[in-house]
Amino acid sequence: MAETTQLTRHIESYVDSSSSPSHQAASLNAIASLVNTDALPLQALVRELEMYLTTTDNVIRARGILLLAEVITRVESKPLDSATMHNLVGFFKDRLADWRAVRGALVGCLALIRRKSVVGMVIGSDATAIAQSFLQYLQVQSLGQYDRKLCFELLDCLLERYSDVATSLGEDLIYGICEAIDAEKDPECLMLAFHIVESLARFYPDSSGLLASFAKDVFEILEPYFPIHFTHPSSGDTHVQRDDLSRSLMSAFSSTPLFEPFVIPLLLQKLSSSLHSAKIDSLKYLRVCSSKYGAERISKYARAIWSSLKDTLSTYLGEPDFSFTVTAVDGIGFPENEYVIEALSLLQQLIVQNSSLLVSLIIDDKDVNSIFNTIASYEIYDAIPVPEKKKLHAIGRILYITAKTTISSCNAVFESLFSRVMDNLGFSASNIDSFPNGDISPSRRVKFGFLYLCIELLAGCRELIVGSEEPALQYAFEHETCCTMLHSFSTPLFNAFGSVLAVSADRCPLDPDIYIGVKGLQLLAMFRSDVFPIQKSIFENILKKFMSIIMEDFNKTILWKAALKALFHVGSFVQKFHESEKAMSYRSLVIEKLVELLFLDDITLPFSLRVEALSNIGMTGMKNMLTILQGLGRAVFANLSKVHRNLRSSETAVQLLECYSCKLLPWIHENGGSEDFAVQFAVDIWSQAGNWMDFSALFEEKGLLDAIMKAMKLSVGSCAVESQNLIIQKAYSILSSHTNFQLKEVERLPLTPGKYNISLRDEGIISLFASVVIAVCPKTHIPNIRVLMRLFIITLLRGGVPVAQALGSILNKLVSTSNSAENSSDLILEEALDVIFNSKIQFSSTDLLLRCNGTNNGNEMVLTDICLGIANDRLLQINAICGLSWIGKGLLLRGHEKIKDITMIFTECLISGTKSALPLIKYSLENTEEQIHDPLVMKCAADAFHVLMSDSEVCLNRKFHATIRPLYKQRFFSSVMPIFQQLITKSYSSLSRSFLYRAFAHIMSDTPMVAILSEAKKLIPILLDCLYMLTEDIQDKDILYGLLLVLSGILTEKNGQEAVIENAHIIINCLIKLVGYPHKMLVRETAIQCLVALSELPHARIYPMRTQVLRAISKCLDDTKRAVRHEAVKCRQTWASMSSRSLHF
């Protein structure tokens, strides 16, 4: 047994009310651990506690009883014999009478009641004793919140685990529960109380049972809580939310039909309340209660509920959305409204429960019938008065819900109301056969209101049919009244909807006529053939109607887009439900026709719209997409073959390639399509490239070449390694056999750019090959890579950016050891670096005027020499710096140390007229003052940092399988920023300083904010000077905006507040200048927002600047841009509120 002195210390620590809570908890855990490990038998603990359990000191006695109770709670998995359980029950149930120690008694009883049978549980007689003692001694509402919660937990546990015992208590239990709940306000206690009522209802379900006598009493206790009025703050101690409480009360209300005489009248009364929560909860509760109470009990309230629902819909249903931007296919779109959603859900529940009664109420309703007379007087939607429109919308929604809910309700509403709609349109069941084509006289316009109701009925019926998954049920639909009527009236409906489109004016973005016409035809085409076999001719006529709009009515933008959207939905439906016959018609009338349009020159439909239609329809399904891709591929190559003699073919090819790259290929990837087409497309481009020997015009069109390269990169990037190997082998064979230069010449060093016969066409093929290299995976094998890298270096010096990006991609993806199993290349990273940085490049004296010293071997130099201006050629130096920036980016992303040397090269190019302390190229500055002062070269070097730090879409990203080391931007920022701070501080040349600021801005703009915040104190002064400098040139407006966003981030982050407070005055002065920046609206808007953020700083720091800020902001109130004026008003209000002085300046 545990040491007595140790146990006594633990007991004393817990019982002593002056001990800290942490010490008391530690002591309790220690005692429980001793009992759990049998180091201290429970009986021994009771003996040790005897003095504390029986003392007359109320505080000590309460603590002692609570200690024993908490120990029992913590040893719930420890077996206890029946005698021990009985003794403990006897002790704790007697202590319920001791109001000073009631918490310990409640905790103990609850711990015993919760024990499971495998470890010894309370027997029935003992549970009865606990319940009786509870009901006899406890006045729940006189206790504190925590003790009341324990009481409710004990009652709830007794009802859940000892239902027989609870039932035997009879009226005493119900009285006790009512007394305990009455006037309770705590959310956690109420959650338990409502669940207790729900449990109580399960024990006495019969109408002749005990609860029936007390149903009114129980309900009167629950009634004041409806609707839940929740005042507890969301950040309080309770985790209970209003919705939780409301759902719990709803479960209590609906727990027994015995509450029906009291609940339903209350809910109907609350429906007329002006309180939002009362209305919403009444609708929700009615839906749930009607389901639980049953059809028979609810039927007597049906008329009253129907009337309330109709009024709710008429009041809260908004204007319909007559556009095709909504995602829902079925029905007419409406703005979301909680009242409407709940009202329609309730209506649907009532129809499911008692279809015949509800449908008869709807059909016989005077408002439903009067709407037919009203809309017969108006031909167009805009002519209908607003109150009648609201009724039309409400009745339409009701008919939609009725038609979609059950077969019987759908049949009833079609038989009664759909036939009336058709009668008003001029087609009755008695004479429909006399009009085989269902033609409508061109001189008579169709009444809009009746077609509107048709749409709602059609949509509801279609949703009912399409939502049925059981084959037997689908077969039954074909013989139902609704389907037979639709089959009979399908031709007249087609003509009716078509006639609306024939007279539509395309007058506004939400044209009701266009919407109704297109929507109606779309719905007719989207019934399943096995349920509602619409005639093939009608389905094809619908497709022809839409296609005629696509081809002829392109000047009617709204109608054209609506028809295209409808064709998309119809095609998606056909593909989803495997409608084979409809799919054949869709393929021949839509897919093949759209593909055919790509090759026709004698039609007026703009080519951009043809491509838009093609891409949208392709996304209806994978089969359709593959057909369209094949047609698009043929069109691409057909136009490429005509580029040399037809400039328009170049523009057409660019549009097709952009469609493929930006829409079709991503869709295939997202939907799990095969890579087969992408592989074949890439291979076909290279096959065609081999035949373009005389077509140099293809590569003179830069836009076309860029589009081909983009398509090539995305195609290659989406393929597996095996497919990429196939493509790159094909590309290499074309490169090596269909160019004027010989690759063997490039193998010999030094490289001599002047002697290679690289034509403009050859440069295009090299760039196209570079796009393949950019996109391949690291494991893809690049043939003859050493020679290709030298070729890329030569092309880079001619200004080829794609080859520079390819070199960066190669360095990024190569492994750094030849022993690695992942190495699929002929050389490793270190060898590739040697090729790029140590390959000798030779220029003849006639090519360049060289300025070399003894460090160079005659007229030979390496790439870094050219970057530093050793060759006296500005264009060559700019090309070399640009190329080196992409090479550096590849190394930076993988975290290679060589990036430091490259950064130093760029930095040296930014320094003018001073000796560098950097040993790398100190000698290069001798006698080169004129070269170093070249602003274009310095600008290129500064912009190289943008290449290094920005996220590129064209290369070196995850889409093209780049190796990206985590936090690479943060590491680079930390390494170069001290250098820039030093150089900017010591620079005495205004030209050099301006370009150092430019490079600084690029680095700051692309660095994650978390890295900047840690250095904010040092960086803010330089950042503000940089902002001043960037305002001088309009071409720097985008860089200025990017850097201003960095300042905005510092101002709004808590971690930057200290640095901001120290520099508040100079920040405000800078922002005052930027609020009037004329060249970019976003700069002015962001600067004003920054001033608003600064208003949160300590008053003493910013108040002296208040007058200057208000004077500057007053000018912004007349800005030409609304967004700026809006922000200026908020800023003036914020800064003016610092004082009550007048705002006159």
Side-chain angles (χ1 to χ4, degrees):
M1 192 175 75
E3 290 289 337
T4 305
T5 53
Q6 182 185 10
L7 177 60
T8 303
R9 283 200 302 272
H10 288 317
I11 293 174
E12 290 288 347
S13 175
Y14 187 86
V15 171
D16 185 2
S17 58
S18 64
S19 296
S20 65
S22 59
H23 287 162
Q24 290 177 352
S27 298
L28 175 60
N29 291 331
I31 296 170
S33 176
L34 292 173
V35 177
N36 263 323
T37 58
D38 292 326
L40 174 66
L42 187 59
Q43 293 84 348
L45 174 62
V46 173
R47 286 195 296 271
E48 288 293 329
L49 287 173
E50 182 178 1
M51 176 182 66
Y52 304 97
L53 300 176
T54 58
T55 180
T56 57
D57 187 310
N58 295 327
V59 175
I60 294 177
R61 185 176 70 256
R63 294 296 298 173
I65 294 172
L66 182 59
L67 172 59
L68 179 59
E70 292 287 3
V71 169
I72 294 173
T73 302
R74 283 163 171 73
V75 297
E76 60 181 0
S77 60
K78 183 178 179 59
L80 296 177
D81 58 61
S82 58
T84 302
M85 289 292 297
H86 179 73
N87 291 333
L88 288 171
V89 168
F91 173 76
F92 283 115
K93 64 100 175 173
D94 290 340
R95 297 285 77 74
L96 289 173
D98 184 359
W99 66 272
R100 297 183 183 276
V102 72
R103 177 172 298 184
L106 287 169
V107 172
C109 289
L110 190 58
L112 293 171
I113 289 292
R114 285 174 171 169
R115 288 180 65 86
K116 298 179 181 179
S117 59
V118 293
V119 291
M121 66 182 294
V122 174
I123 61 175
S125 58
D126 285 344
T128 302
I130 291 176
Q132 289 173 339
S133 184
F134 179 96
L135 297 173
Q136 180 180 357
Y137 296 120
L138 290 181
Q139 299 292 325
V140 175
Q141 287 304 312
S142 67
L143 302 176
Q145 183 271 338
Y146 186 77
D147 292 336
R148 297 200 311 276
K149 182 182 175 184
L150 290 173
C151 289
F152 287 120
E153 287 179 348
L154 181 56
L155 274 176
D156 194 34
C157 197
L158 279 168
L159 292 173
E160 288 290 330
R161 305 198 63 189
Y162 295 89
S163 56
D164 294 339
V165 170
T167 305
S168 68
L169 295 173
E171 295 181 359
D172 291 341
L173 177 64
I174 298 177
Y175 281 129
I177 289 174
C178 291
E179 184 181 358
I181 298 175
D182 195 16
E184 178 59 61
K185 295 180 180 180
D186 179 71
E188 293 183 351
C189 292
L190 284 174
M191 288 287 290
L192 293 164
F194 296 154
H195 187 259
I196 288 169
V197 173
E198 189 179 355
S199 300
L200 193 63
R202 288 200 307 269
F203 298 151
Y204 306 104
D206 298 334
S207 57
S208 58
L210 184 63
L211 183 59
S213 306
F214 295 91
K216 185 177 181 181
D217 298 318
V218 175
F219 173 76
E220 286 177 350
I221 292 173
L222 296 178
E223 181 183 7
Y225 296 108
F226 182 86
I228 294 293
H229 181 59
F230 199 76
T231 58
H232 286 257
S234 57
S235 59
D237 295 333
T238 179
H239 298 293
V240 179
Q241 302 298 317
R242 183 199 176 277
D243 288 344
D244 301 325
L245 266 178
S246 183
R247 279 192 297 269
S248 185
L249 179 59
M250 182 168 60
S251 297
F253 271 20
S254 61
S255 60
T256 174
L258 299 175
F259 289 153
E260 165 262 309
F262 319 108
V263 169
I264 301 300
L266 171 69
L267 299 178
L268 288 173
Q269 176 193 347
K270 294 295 184 181
L271 271 179
S272 59
S273 170
S274 59
L275 191 64
H276 171 83
S277 60
K279 276 183 170 296
I280 292 298
D281 284 354
S282 295
L283 292 168
K284 290 180 179 178
Y285 282 40
L286 277 170
R287 173 171 50 82
V288 174
C289 290
S290 64
S291 173
K292 296 293 182 68
Y293 293 168
E296 184 178 350
R297 284 180 174 269
I298 295 298
S299 60
K300 56 187 173 186
Y301 305 102
R303 187 174 298 277
I305 296 175
W306 157 246
S307 178
S308 297
L309 286 177
K310 188 177 59 173
D311 293 342
T312 300
L313 291 172
S314 299
T315 303
Y316 296 104
L317 190 65
E319 278 284 315
D321 183 8
F322 291 125
S323 72
F324 286 84
T325 57
V326 291
T327 55
V329 175
D330 291 309
I332 296 172
F334 284 87
E336 283 195 5
N337 182 283
E338 198 173 1
Y339 295 116
V340 173
I341 293 171
E342 291 300 333
L344 293 176
S345 298
L346 172 56
L347 176 62
Q348 189 168 7
Q349 166 61 36
L350 294 173
I351 294 173
V352 169
Q353 189 177 55
N354 198 334
S355 176
S356 59
L357 176 59
L358 261 295
V359 173
S360 65
L361 288 173
I362 293 169
I363 293 173
D364 297 336
D365 187 86
K366 64 177 183 178
D367 290 328
V368 174
N369 286 278
S370 66
I371 199 68
F372 283 84
N373 299 325
T374 302
I375 60 179
S377 306
Y378 306 99
E379 290 187 345
I380 62 174
Y381 178 76
D382 292 339
I384 304 175
V386 173
E388 303 305 321
K389 279 182 183 178
K390 293 180 75 67
K391 287 184 181 179
L392 176 63
H393 302 153
I395 300 303
R397 285 284 84 184
I398 290 168
L399 296 183
Y400 167 72
I401 293 295
T402 307
K404 70 173 277 190
T405 303
T406 66
I407 297 177
S408 59
S409 64
C410 187
N411 284 337
V413 78
F414 261 77
E415 191 170 2
S416 176
L417 299 182
F418 181 72
S419 57
R420 289 180 61 185
V421 170
M422 298 310 295
D423 287 343
N424 280 278
L425 288 173
F427 310 107
S428 63
S430 59
N431 65 4
I432 188 64
D433 295 334
S434 62
F435 300 98
N437 295 323
D439 292 331
I440 293 176
S441 172
S443 62
R444 182 167 61 87
R445 184 174 179 127
V446 180
K447 308 291 191 202
F448 176 90
F450 294 114
L451 287 183
Y452 180 93
L453 295 178
C454 265
I455 293 290
E456 293 284 43
L457 286 168
L458 280 172
C461 181
R462 180 192 172 277
E463 192 165 334
L464 174 67
I465 294 171
V466 172
S468 302
E469 300 293 339
E470 300 178 19
L473 192 58
Q474 294 170 3
Y475 173 77
F477 272 119
E478 184 178 354
H479 306 286
E480 296 293 339
T481 303
C482 56
C483 288
T484 56
M485 292 185 71
L486 279 177
H487 191 273
S488 300
F489 287 107
S490 55
T491 300
L493 282 172
F494 166 75
N495 286 297
F497 291 125
S499 68
V500 176
L501 296 179
V503 297
S504 64
D506 202 69
R507 62 184 185 275
C508 64
L510 301 179
D511 192 311
D513 289 334
I514 290 176
Y515 182 88
I516 290 298
V518 172
K519 190 76 172 182
L521 294 176
Q522 174 190 320
L523 288 171
L524 276 179
M526 291 175 61
F527 279 89
R528 293 176 62 169
S529 298
D530 54 351
V531 178
F532 170 34
I534 186 174
Q535 297 95 315
K536 180 181 178 182
S537 59
I538 294 179
F539 179 76
E540 292 185 344
N541 284 338
I542 292 172
L543 297 182
K544 290 175 183 178
K545 179 66 177 178
F546 287 145
M547 284 302 296
S548 68
I549 294 172
I550 295 296
M551 297 178 65
E552 299 168 8
D553 293 329
F554 54 86
N555 55 331
K556 297 181 178 180
T557 306
I558 301 162
L559 176 61
W560 191 89
K561 289 186 177 295
L564 180 59
K565 195 75 173 177
L567 278 174
F568 169 81
H569 285 309
V570 173
S572 300
F573 167 79
V574 169
Q575 290 289 310
K576 179 180 178 181
F577 291 99
H578 309 291
E579 300 273 344
S580 56
E581 185 177 6
K582 288 183 178 180
M584 293 174 61
S585 299
Y586 193 86
R587 178 179 291 270
S588 62
L589 295 175
V590 179
I591 303 292
E592 294 177 2
K593 192 67 176 177
L594 287 174
V595 171
E596 183 184 342
L597 293 179
L598 298 179
F599 300 90
L600 299 179
D601 297 326
D602 56 347
I603 61 172
T604 55
L605 179 63
F607 195 82
S608 61
L609 294 183
R610 300 184 218 178
V611 174
E612 181 181 347
L614 193 80
S615 62
N616 277 274
I617 299 304
M619 296 176 190
T620 55
M622 194 59 68
K623 288 183 180 179
N624 293 340
M625 177 60 79
L626 293 177
T627 302
I628 281 176
L629 281 173
Q630 291 167 2
L632 181 138
R634 294 196 304 272
V636 167
F637 294 120
N639 281 280
L640 289 178
S641 65
K642 296 185 290 186
V643 167
H644 66 292
R645 62 178 183 272
N646 186 352
L647 180 60
R648 186 177 174 184
S649 294
S650 174
E651 298 172 356
T652 300
V654 169
Q655 291 186 60
L656 291 170
L657 288 166
E658 282 296 317
C659 175
Y660 169 76
S661 301
C662 300
K663 295 182 179 179
L664 305 188
L665 192 61
W667 187 90
I668 290 178
H669 181 69
E670 291 169 6
N671 290 272
S674 169
E675 66 178 33
D676 293 347
F677 181 84
V679 175
Q680 191 59 48
F681 187 72
V683 170
D684 288 345
I685 287 179
W686 281 108
S687 299
Q688 292 293 323
N691 300 325
W692 293 332
M693 296 297 294
D694 301 325
F695 303 156
S696 58
L698 183 68
F699 299 103
E700 292 173 359
E701 291 291 332
K702 188 176 186 304
L704 177 58
L705 179 59
D706 288 343
I708 296 174
M709 290 170 57
K710 181 178 180 180
M712 179 63 71
K713 280 189 287 190
L714 292 170
S715 297
V716 174
S718 65
C719 296
V721 172
E722 296 77 10
S723 301
Q724 290 182 351
N725 283 325
L726 177 68
I727 296 170
I728 203 166
Q729 287 295 338
K730 178 69 175 180
Y732 182 77
S733 66
I734 298 298
L735 176 67
S736 58
S737 60
H738 292 76
T739 49
N740 295 327
F741 62 89
Q742 297 295 321
L743 282 176
K744 291 183 179 180
E745 298 178 1
V746 185
E747 295 180 11
R748 294 189 292 271
L749 291 177
L751 300 175
T752 312
K755 80 173 186 178
Y756 309 119
N757 183 21
I758 301 178
S759 65
L760 185 62
R761 175 189 173 280
D762 293 339
E763 279 193 27
I765 290 182
I766 294 171
S767 296
L768 188 59
F769 186 87
S771 68
V772 177
V773 174
I774 288 170
V776 296
C777 299
K779 293 184 179 180
T780 302
H781 179 261
I782 302 175
N784 207 1
I785 187 171
R786 189 184 298 270
V787 173
L788 287 174
M789 290 179 69
R790 292 171 180 168
L791 175 63
F792 287 166
I793 293 173
I794 296 168
T795 313
L796 177 156
L797 295 174
R798 296 164 64 99
V801 174
V803 296
Q805 295 168 345
L807 285 171
S809 298
I810 290 173
L811 294 182
N812 178 264
K813 298 171 187 177
L814 282 178
V815 296
S816 59
T817 170
S818 58
N819 296 326
S820 174
E822 298 180 2
N823 188 20
S824 60
S825 180
D826 297 330
L827 76 168
I828 58 174
L829 175 61
E830 289 73 17
E831 295 171 334
L833 289 170
D834 182 69
V835 170
I836 291 177
F837 292 101
N838 295 326
S839 291
K840 297 294 184 180
I841 306 170
Q842 186 178 52
F843 299 94
S844 63
S845 58
T846 57
D847 290 331
L848 301 168
L849 175 62
L850 298 176
R851 187 175 297 173
C852 306
N853 57 19
T855 60
N856 286 318
N857 181 13
N859 55 358
E860 292 181 3
M861 60 190 74
V862 294
L863 181 64
T864 53
D865 294 333
I866 301 172
C867 291
L868 294 167
I870 303 301
N872 188 22
D873 188 295
R874 172 199 287 170
L875 181 60
L876 187 65
Q877 185 179 6
I878 289 174
N879 290 342
I881 292 173
C882 179
L884 189 61
S885 66
W886 288 105
I887 293 170
K889 184 176 183 66
L891 293 170
L892 174 61
L893 261 64
R894 69 178 298 161
H896 196 274
E897 291 297 315
K898 187 67 177 177
I899 186 61
K900 294 180 180 178
D901 295 340
I902 295 174
T903 303
M904 290 301 102
I905 292 171
F906 295 149
T907 305
E908 288 293 344
C909 293
L910 295 172
I911 303 171
S912 60
T914 181
K915 292 287 184 180
S916 173
L918 303 172
L920 178 65
I921 48 165
K922 187 186 295 186
Y923 66 86
S924 68
L925 296 172
E926 297 177 2
N927 302 318
T928 59
E929 184 177 349
E930 181 182 353
Q931 161 64 21
I932 292 176
H933 274 89
D934 192 326
L936 291 179
V937 173
M938 298 173 76
K939 180 178 182 294
C940 182
D943 291 342
F945 287 94
H946 176 63
V947 173
L948 290 175
M949 291 291 286
S950 62
D951 297 323
S952 174
E953 287 292 322
V954 297
C955 68
L956 289 168
N957 52 46
R958 297 198 184 279
K959 182 167 52 179
F960 298 134
H961 315 290
T963 301
I964 302 177
R965 186 183 179 187
L967 305 178
Y968 76 93
K969 288 185 179 183
Q970 289 90 324
R971 291 189 182 90
F972 185 73
F973 170 83
S974 300
S975 64
V976 301
M977 200 47 64
I979 298 174
F980 271 90
Q981 289 174 292
Q982 181 182 8
L983 291 175
I984 290 172
T985 303
K986 294 185 177 181
S987 176
Y988 59 85
S989 165
S990 60
L991 181 66
S992 176
R993 186 182 297 108
S994 67
F995 286 113
L996 285 168
Y997 277 139
R998 185 183 183 89
F1000 171 86
H1002 285 313
I1003 297 171
M1004 291 284 287
S1005 298
D1006 291 307
T1007 298
M1009 182 57 62
V1010 65
I1012 294 174
L1013 290 174
S1014 61
E1015 301 291 331
K1017 281 188 180 181
K1018 300 176 183 178
L1019 295 176
I1020 283 181
I1022 302 176
L1023 186 151
L1024 296 174
D1025 290 341
C1026 187
L1027 286 172
Y1028 278 119
M1029 184 276 298
L1030 291 170
T1031 60
E1032 297 173 2
D1033 191 340
I1034 187 176
Q1035 294 182 354
D1036 294 333
K1037 60 183 180 182
D1038 292 329
I1039 305 175
L1040 171 65
Y1041 176 60
L1043 191 61
L1044 183 58
L1045 288 178
V1046 175
L1047 178 60
S1048 175
I1050 296 174
L1051 296 178
T1052 54
E1053 289 285 345
K1054 289 184 178 180
N1055 294 341
Q1057 289 297 300
E1058 185 179 349
V1060 172
I1061 292 172
E1062 287 186 12
N1063 298 277
H1065 286 195
I1066 59 175
I1067 293 174
I1068 292 173
N1069 285 329
C1070 179
L1071 293 172
I1072 286 174
K1073 180 178 181 180
L1074 292 177
V1075 296
Y1077 184 74
H1079 307 304
K1080 196 174 181 72
M1081 182 270 288
L1082 289 173
V1083 170
R1084 303 195 298 278
E1085 182 184 12
T1086 307
I1088 296 173
Q1089 290 170 344
C1090 288
L1091 285 172
V1092 174
L1094 282 166
S1095 67
E1096 301 294 328
L1097 294 183
H1099 189 269
R1101 293 293 298 168
I1102 61 174
Y1103 188 81
M1105 306 294 294
R1106 175 179 173 275
T1107 303
Q1108 295 99 302
V1109 171
L1110 290 173
R1111 186 178 294 114
I1113 290 300
S1114 65
K1115 299 177 183 177
C1116 300
L1117 297 173
D1118 298 324
D1119 197 279
T1120 57
K1121 299 296 183 180
R1122 182 179 179 278
V1124 176
R1125 296 196 301 271
H1126 178 70
E1127 293 297 331
V1129 170
K1130 290 198 299 184
C1131 183
R1132 185 179 67 167
Q1133 291 173 344
T1134 302
W1135 281 81
S1137 64
M1138 295 180 189
S1139 174
S1140 58
R1141 289 185 298 176
S1142 177
L1143 297 179
H1144 296 289
F1145 302 100

